[in-house]
């Protein structure tokens, strides 16, 4: 029985490698072996050139750069392949998707187009910086329990002319559609949970994606002001009916009313966790930001506000409460606990980003074109997916000072990668051997480049046709 499971997992890994190779339509052999070199490297990836020294990469360092700069990947086909793989499930057997942005910082690349100012945190309070780079929006399926694994399903680079909320909504719509087409969700199953952090307009996402079988939960700022439902209209009252009720100020406990639900949970990592939930609260929307082009009267998007207070955090004995907003209404206590627990699992995506940058070398290559960065990003996604598929069958190459792990699912992605080279020989190798060739003559010695590279500005390059005041006068 154990051998059958091992063979099945190895078959899934080999099948995925074949499907990835079929998605590489130009410079396929060089791209595929570049990914294998990342998988089998002894330590962190520091540059593309050093990957050519790996035995799995049978081409020169110039071939690797040529593949990244001039290769071609059928991204839509690769997205469908990723959605067809087995998906992990969160608590209660639900599918939980986390969305977040990670930045490929390029502060000195003045000749690289489509860079935006990326918000990055520095050491010390209030030391955040805005550094030029390429922001990427990732969508991943979350597991249950404490883990550093996620199942990445999509990646989209945000461009200077993009609206971040609109791009995220389209990205989530496409991911959910592929999940349904793959048969992971059937009518009658629990709704798919979408988890986001405070940087997203969760109200807008819930409104735009209301036709999908999803429920949105995300963190909101602690200085937000929500509104209660309008009270019943008194008979004989004249005038326009009220649209909003009283204010619910998150930072002012005097404005709170009795919670609809209060739950208590003892956790091993955060101590005692207490939640308070208030049903049918909504924000006051204005024709700004993602609602600027909304036609007609702005809607009322009601949901549940959850206040999560834990006893302690690692390194913090007096943590501040976390405020969440969910598109679910009339939620019971069991669902409230599920929502905040799934939200805490969103931080597993941070482990994935750290693996990408510190171990797999996602942001290491000094690429000029953003299209080349996109190809390299998708190669890293295929590398991470292969590690996830090899997780139950790889042999743990434990260092003498590391703890012994008896369950394969408890292995970290870095330890799975450490043992992937031993597994690599048993998988399929669709890439063909390189043909003999010789490098070109290159630029004549002593000559200069007559075509200097173009320099590009950083930030949003597309302005609105109308200012907010002109738009207000035009629509009014």
């Amino acid at each position: 029985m154990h051998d059958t499971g091992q063979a099945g997992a190895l078959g899934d890994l080999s099948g995925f490698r074949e499907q990835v190779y079929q998605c590489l339509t130009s410079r396929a052999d060089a791209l595929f072996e570049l990914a294998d070199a990342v998988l089998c490297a002894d330590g962190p990836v520091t540059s593309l050139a050093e990957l050519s020294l790996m035995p799995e990469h049978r081409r020169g360092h110039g071939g690797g750069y040529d593949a990244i700069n001039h290769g071609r990947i059928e991204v839509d086909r690769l997205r469908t392949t990723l959605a067809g793989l087995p998906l992990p499930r969160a608590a209660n057997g639900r599918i939980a998707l986390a969305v977040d942005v990670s930045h490929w910082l390029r502060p000195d690349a003045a000749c690289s187009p489509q860079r935006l100012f990326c918000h990055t945190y520095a050491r010390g309070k209030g030391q955040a910086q805005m550094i030029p780079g390429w922001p990427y929006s990732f969508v991943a399926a979350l597991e249950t329990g404490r883990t550093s694994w996620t199942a990445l399903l999509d990646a989209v680079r945000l461009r200077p002319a993009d609206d971040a909320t609109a791009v995220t909504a389209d990205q989530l719509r496409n991911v959910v559609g592929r999940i349904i087409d793959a048969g992971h969700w059937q009518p009658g199953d629990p709704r798919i949970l979408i988890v986001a952090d405070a940087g997203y307009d969760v109200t807008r996402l819930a409104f735009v994606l209301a036709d999908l079988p999803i429920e949105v939960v995300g963190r909101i700022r602690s200085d937000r002001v929500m509104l209660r439902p309008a009270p019943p209209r008194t008979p004989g009252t004249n005038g326009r009916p009220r649209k909003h009720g009283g204010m619910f100020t998150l930072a002012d406990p005097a404005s709170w009313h009795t919670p609809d639900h209060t739950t208590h949970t003892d956790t091993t990592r955060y101590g005692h966790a207490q939640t308070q939930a208030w049903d049918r609260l909504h924000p006051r929307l204005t024709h700004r930001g993602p609602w600027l082009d909304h036609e007609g009267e702005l809607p009322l998007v009601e949901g549940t506000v959850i206040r999560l207070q834990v006893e302690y955090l690692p390194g913090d004995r007096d943590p501040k409460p976390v405020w969440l907003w969910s598109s679910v209404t009339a939620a019971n206590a069991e669902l409230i606990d599920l929502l905040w627990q799934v939200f805490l699992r969103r931080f597993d995506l941070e482990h994935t980003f750290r693996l990408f940058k510190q171990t797999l070398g996602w942001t290491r290559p000094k690429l000029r074109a953003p299209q080349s960065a996109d190809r390299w990003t998708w190669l890293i996604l295929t590398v991470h997916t292969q590690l996830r598929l090899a997780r139950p069958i790889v042999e743990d190459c434990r260092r003498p000072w590391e703890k012994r792990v008896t369950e394969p699912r408890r292995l970290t992605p870095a330890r799975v990668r450490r043992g992937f080279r031993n597994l690599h020989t048993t998988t399929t190798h669709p890439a063909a051997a390189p043909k003999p060739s010789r490098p070109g003559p290159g630029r004549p010695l002593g000559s200069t480049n007559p075509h200097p590279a173009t320099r590009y500005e950083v930030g949003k390059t597309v302005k609105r046709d109308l200012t907010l005041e002109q738009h207000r006068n035009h629509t009014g």
Side-chain angles (χ1 to χ4, degrees):
M1 193 70 179
H2 180 71
D3 295 339
T4 303
Q6 294 267 340
L10 184 60
D12 293 340
L13 175 60
S14 299
F16 177 74
R17 289 170 59 85
E18 290 283 355
Q19 292 175 325
V20 168
Y21 184 78
Q22 294 172 5
C23 296
L24 310 178
T25 55
S26 181
R27 270 76 167 186
D29 297 330
L31 286 173
F32 192 85
E33 290 192 352
L34 201 59
D36 275 358
V38 176
L39 279 166
C40 300
D42 294 331
V45 176
T46 57
S47 69
L48 287 180
E50 291 191 359
L51 289 178
S52 63
L53 303 178
M54 300 295 299
E56 289 77 14
H57 191 273
R58 298 174 290 181
R59 290 156 175 84
H61 64 276
Y65 276 101
D66 180 69
I68 293 297
N69 292 325
H70 302 99
R72 188 169 58 195
I73 302 176
E74 291 188 10
V75 175
D76 291 338
R77 185 175 180 180
L78 186 53
R79 286 180 172 129
T80 304
T81 301
L82 291 174
L85 297 175
L87 282 185
R89 303 281 174 151
N92 203 20
R94 287 195 177 197
I95 298 176
L97 302 179
V99 57
D100 203 356
V101 173
S102 186
H103 306 295
W104 185 336
L105 301 180
R106 300 287 281 133
D108 301 326
C111 299
S112 295
Q114 302 181 9
R115 291 182 302 160
L116 295 174
F117 287 107
C118 304
H119 182 274
T120 59
Y121 291 98
R123 297 193 176 210
K125 186 176 182 181
Q127 299 296 321
Q129 303 179 30
M130 302 298 290
I131 300 179
W134 292 314
Y136 280 84
S137 175
F138 292 89
V139 177
L142 303 177
E143 293 188 3
T144 183
R146 292 175 58 182
T147 178
S148 56
W149 288 94
T150 59
L152 289 166
L153 300 175
D154 194 24
V156 173
R157 178 170 50 85
L158 301 179
R159 293 171 168 82
D162 290 341
D163 180 86
T165 303
V167 171
T168 303
D170 292 339
Q171 184 183 20
L172 288 172
R173 180 178 295 276
N174 294 331
V175 170
V176 171
R178 290 191 291 267
I179 288 176
I180 295 176
D181 294 340
H184 296 304
W185 187 90
Q186 301 290 339
D189 292 347
R191 289 175 171 263
I192 300 173
L193 290 176
I194 305 294
V195 188
D197 205 3
Y200 290 89
D201 190 340
V202 290
T203 308
R204 178 68 177 179
L205 292 178
F207 175 77
V208 174
L209 304 176
D211 58 318
L212 297 178
I214 67 165
E215 294 172 351
V216 180
V217 58
R219 185 160 62 100
I220 57 178
R221 292 170 56 96
S222 59
D223 57 357
R224 289 286 298 270
V225 177
M226 310 298 286
L227 298 172
R228 299 182 177 89
R233 187 176 176 84
T234 305
T237 304
N238 297 324
R240 184 180 180 180
R242 293 184 60 180
K243 186 177 180 180
H244 309 290
M247 291 191 301
F248 184 94
T249 305
L250 273 58
D252 183 14
S255 65
W256 306 349
H257 57 274
T258 304
D260 296 288
H261 295 285
T262 300
T263 66
H264 299 270
T265 306
D266 291 325
T267 67
T268 57
R269 184 171 179 79
Y270 309 108
H272 182 75
Q274 177 184 0
T275 61
Q276 296 172 290
W278 293 268
D279 192 23
R280 296 190 61 196
L281 296 180
H282 64 273
R284 185 190 298 273
L285 305 179
T286 59
H287 283 94
R288 290 176 177 269
W291 301 96
L292 180 64
D293 298 324
H294 184 85
E295 298 181 359
E297 187 177 4
L298 292 172
L300 290 178
V301 185
E302 293 184 333
T304 301
V305 172
I306 304 172
R307 181 181 185 270
L308 172 62
Q309 179 68 65
V310 297
E311 185 178 357
Y312 54 82
L313 291 173
D316 187 0
R317 288 292 171 179
D318 188 20
K320 297 181 179 179
V322 175
W323 290 91
L324 307 175
W325 183 90
S326 173
S327 60
V328 181
T329 56
N332 55 27
E334 181 181 358
L335 182 55
I336 296 297
D337 282 338
L338 174 65
L339 291 176
W340 70 262
Q341 291 172 12
V342 171
F343 171 78
L344 293 183
R345 295 268 60 81
R346 188 204 68 81
F347 293 96
D348 297 340
L349 198 54
E350 302 295 338
H351 295 286
T352 301
F353 293 155
R354 184 173 60 179
L355 175 78
F356 272 26
K357 296 179 179 180
Q358 297 183 1
T359 303
L360 302 183
W362 172 44
T363 59
R364 285 291 185 175
K366 304 301 181 183
L367 304 175
R368 175 180 295 180
Q371 294 79 13
S372 301
D374 295 343
R375 296 187 194 99
W376 178 244
T377 300
W378 277 103
L379 274 188
I380 296 299
L381 257 71
T382 63
V383 168
H384 184 267
T385 303
Q386 292 185 59
L387 293 177
R388 182 168 62 90
L389 294 177
R391 178 182 175 187
I393 55 177
V394 73
E395 182 180 353
D396 183 22
C397 297
R398 183 179 65 89
R399 299 285 193 260
W401 55 84
E402 293 176 341
K403 294 182 179 180
R404 189 179 303 275
V405 178
T406 57
E407 298 182 18
R409 69 177 304 271
R410 300 300 301 174
L411 288 176
T412 63
R415 289 179 71 162
V416 171
R417 176 174 175 262
R418 192 186 301 163
F420 191 89
R421 170 172 286 180
N422 299 330
L423 187 66
H424 180 259
T425 57
T426 62
T427 61
T428 57
H429 301 84
K435 298 179 180 179
S437 63
R438 64 175 58 183
R443 185 186 304 164
L445 185 65
S447 63
T448 58
N449 184 8
H451 304 288
T454 306
R455 292 176 174 266
Y456 299 90
E457 297 291 335
V458 183
K460 294 288 186 179
T461 58
V462 177
K463 297 182 180 180
R464 295 191 180 100
D465 297 333
L466 301 176
T467 63
L468 290 177
E469 183 177 357
Q470 292 172 343
H471 187 277
R472 192 179 302 110
N473 297 334
H474 178 74
T475 57

